[in-house]
């Protein structure tokens, strides 16, 4: 996915051992289509060479305010004109202090002050004591107040051997944050509640009844909603997926647990998106011990009870959230999906054919609302999720009041 195509980013490196990760970050930005101009402070060149960054970027690396390669010797002005963002990774304690005070004593600090409206993204990287120092915290707060976006820092083992906050985020995390930064904030300030994945209903302590669901679509939607500026709560059945950045996740197993977790949060949500493949039935009396096979080959007798319909329950809540359902069908998508939309009482239902999307990384969706059917073409699930979030933002009554 070339989310950063036609995007030029100024990548600034300052002094810190995390400079070694900046080489990988540069490659990841380029993989997503970005053109990257690297600017390094003198301190950064002690950790990684300009030659490395030049070879990887395929473009000149800038170090010096007086660099004569820029036509009018105005690198501090020219480099940010037309740039989509300035990304400082790693950002040292000293460099953050400089930025907070508007100092301009080298090329990178000067271009930050001269960048005008170009967004500034900062990935701090330093020892935990340096990060926790009141002056650094003051500078971080000042930078946020000045409109910069701080990415991290993360916590963990540090190069100095100490453990705690201050590690630069991993290149993939920074990449995702940069991509998220460029997504339109169509759900800014909204609270979105989602379900995703399968549920798993115990038969005994080792056996379960479940649905086939990777959780990919629900997790992609949670990420897309967070990228769009929403505060996102995800209630997830068992999956092998990482929780998207910035998303709060509650992990559950059974439909009953999912129902309880959703109902506890539904009244605070603006939008509820039910993506989970909820098991329709639970075993009425799961055995506390592992069931043994009968010598005569007789199968166990299982009694089932129907699980609560979570989506229909939320849709019935007075003053509840605006609801979106999913319908995975094997045939007659249009008839089944529209009937399901009316039965569940939701304004929007997203249909897909199981054989086209189950376990796949791509999906083809059809949106059903009171005006009819609206197809979303086959594409990677994250792109489809972003398209769906835009469609939800257009229809959501608080975002766009109907006249
Ligand atoms: O009835 P069916 O399972 O086909 O409906 C699918 C939609 O309803 C999905 O949005 C799914 O997440 C939701 N659902 C639910 N609780 C159930 C069954 C389905 O929220 N018990």
């Amino acid at each position: 996915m070339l989310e950063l195509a036609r995007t030029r980013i100024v990548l600034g490196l300052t002094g810190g051992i995390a400079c070694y990760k900046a080489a990988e970050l540069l490659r990841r930005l380029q993989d997503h289509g970005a053109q990257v101009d690297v600017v390094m402070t003198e301190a950064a060149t002690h950790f990684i060479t300009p030659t490395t960054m030049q070879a990887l970027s395929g473009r000149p690396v800038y170090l010096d305010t007086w660099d004569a390669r820029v036509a009018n010797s105005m690198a501090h002005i020219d480099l940010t004109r037309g740039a989509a963002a300035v990304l400082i990774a790693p950002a040292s304690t000293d460099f953050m202090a400089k930025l907070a005070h508007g100092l301009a004593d080298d090329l990178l600090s000067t271009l930050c002050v001269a960048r005008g409206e170009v967004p500034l993204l900062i990935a701090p990287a330093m020892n935990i004591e340096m990060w926790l120092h009141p002056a650094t915290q003051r500078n971080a707060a000042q930078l946020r107040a000045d409109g910069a976006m701080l990415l991290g820092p993360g916590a963990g083992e540090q190069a100095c051997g100490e453990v705690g906050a201050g590690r630069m985020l991993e290149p993939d995390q920074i990449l995702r944050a940069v991509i998220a930064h460029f997504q339109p904030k169509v759900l800014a300030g909204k609270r979105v509640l989602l379900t995703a994945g399968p549920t798993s209903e115990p038969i005994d302590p080792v056996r379960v009844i479940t649905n086939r669901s990777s959780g990919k679509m629900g997790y992609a939607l949670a990420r897309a909603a967070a990228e769009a500026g929403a505060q996102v709560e995800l209630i997830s059945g068992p999956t092998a997926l990482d929780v998207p950045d910035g998303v709060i996740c509650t992990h559950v197993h059974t439909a009953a647990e999912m129902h309880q977790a959703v109902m506890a949060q539904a009244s605070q949500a603006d939008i509820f998106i039910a993506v989970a493949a909820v098991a329709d039935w639970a075993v009425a009396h799961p055995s506390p011990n592992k069931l043994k096979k009968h010598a005569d080959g007789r199968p166990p007798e299982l009694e089932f009870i129907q699980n609560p319909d979570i989506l229909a329950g939320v849709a019935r809540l007075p003053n509840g959230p605006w609801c979106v359902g999913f319908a995975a069908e094997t045939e007659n998508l249009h008839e089944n999906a529209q009937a399901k939309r009316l039965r569940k009482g939701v304004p929007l239902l997203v249909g897909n054919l199981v054989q086209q999307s189950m376990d796949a990384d791509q999906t083809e969706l059809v949106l059903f609302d009171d005006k009819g059917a609206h197809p979303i073409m086959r594409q990677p699930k994250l792109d489809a999720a972003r398209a769906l979030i835009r469609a939800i933002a257009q229809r959501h009554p608080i975002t766009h009041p109907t006249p």
Side-chain angles (χ1 to χ4, degrees), residues 195 274-280 307-311 325-327 340 343-344:
T195 62
V275 198
V278 183
D280 289 311
N307 277 324
D309 189 319
I310 303 170
L311 175 60
F326 266 70
K340 192 167 289 184
R343 199 167 59 242
K344 304 241 179 195

Side-chain angles (χ1 to χ4, degrees), residues 195-251:
T195 62
T199 64
S200 156
E201 313 295 335
I203 297 172
D204 66 19
V206 296
R207 301 182 181 95
V208 296
I209 294 176
T210 187
N211 278 359
R212 277 180 62 194
S213 165
S214 65
K216 285 178 187 168
M217 192 62 210
Y219 276 59
L221 266 167
R223 173 174 168 180
E227 286 176 346
Q231 187 185 317
V232 182
E233 303 260 358
L234 175 64
I235 313 293
S236 174
T239 74
L241 303 172
D242 291 332
V243 176
D245 303 319
V247 169
I248 298 170
C249 183
T250 304
H251 294 279

Side-chain angles (χ1 to χ4, degrees), residues 180-360:
H181 173 80
F182 291 118
Q183 297 302 314
K185 304 297 170 217
V186 291
L187 292 183
K190 299 284 171 241
R191 284 161 304 180
V192 174
L193 177 65
L194 293 114
T195 62
T199 64
S200 156
E201 313 295 335
I203 297 172
D204 66 19
V206 296
R207 301 182 181 95
V208 296
I209 294 176
T210 187
N211 278 359
R212 277 180 62 194
S213 165
S214 65
K216 285 178 187 168
M217 192 62 210
Y219 276 59
L221 266 167
R223 173 174 168 180
E227 286 176 346
Q231 187 185 317
V232 182
E233 303 260 358
L234 175 64
I235 313 293
S236 174
T239 74
L241 303 172
D242 291 332
V243 176
D245 303 319
V247 169
I248 298 170
C249 183
T250 304
H251 294 279
V252 296
H253 285 95
T254 64
E257 288 166 5
M258 185 174 276
H259 183 235
Q260 198 180 19
V262 166
M263 287 305 175
Q265 307 205 26
S267 55
Q268 292 109 51
D270 298 304
I271 297 168
F272 174 57
I273 313 177
V275 198
V278 183
D280 289 311
W281 305 281
V283 177
H285 306 289
S287 167
N289 297 311
K290 186 177 173 186
L291 295 177
K292 296 289 174 215
K293 278 180 271 186
H294 297 292
D296 59 5
R298 190 164 39 90
E301 279 172 22
L302 297 177
E303 189 193 333
F304 290 96
I305 49 171
Q306 187 157 317
N307 277 324
D309 189 319
I310 303 170
L311 175 60
V314 175
R316 277 195 302 269
L317 287 176
N319 303 318
W322 197 80
C323 290
V324 182
F326 266 70
E329 300 291 340
T330 52
E331 57 191 350
N332 300 332
L333 179 62
H334 285 240
E335 298 74 21
N336 289 337
Q338 274 298 19
K340 192 167 289 184
R341 186 178 81 80
L342 297 173
R343 199 167 59 242
K344 304 241 179 195
V346 297
L348 182 64
L349 194 116
V350 184
N352 58 11
L353 283 172
V354 169
Q355 49 276 38
Q356 288 179 349
S357 58
M358 180 81 80
D359 292 333

Side-chain angles (χ1 to χ4, degrees), residues 3-4 7-9 84-85 119 121 177-185:
E3 289 115 324
L4 302 175
T7 302
R8 188 167 65 80
I9 292 174
L121 312 179
V178 171
I179 290 172
H181 173 80
F182 291 118
Q183 297 302 314
K185 304 297 170 217

Side-chain angles (χ1 to χ4, degrees), residues 2-11 25-38 56-60 79 81-87 178 182:
L2 293 179
E3 289 115 324
L4 302 175
R6 295 178 300 283
T7 302
R8 188 167 65 80
I9 292 174
V10 177
L11 174 63
L25 173 60
L26 167 62
R27 293 302 291 263
R28 296 281 79 80
L29 292 167
Q30 288 175 319
D31 289 346
H32 286 73
Q35 192 179 64
V36 185
D37 280 321
V38 177
L56 292 174
S57 69
R59 297 169 65 79
L79 278 170
R81 296 300 177 263
V86 176
L87 169 62
V178 171
F182 291 118

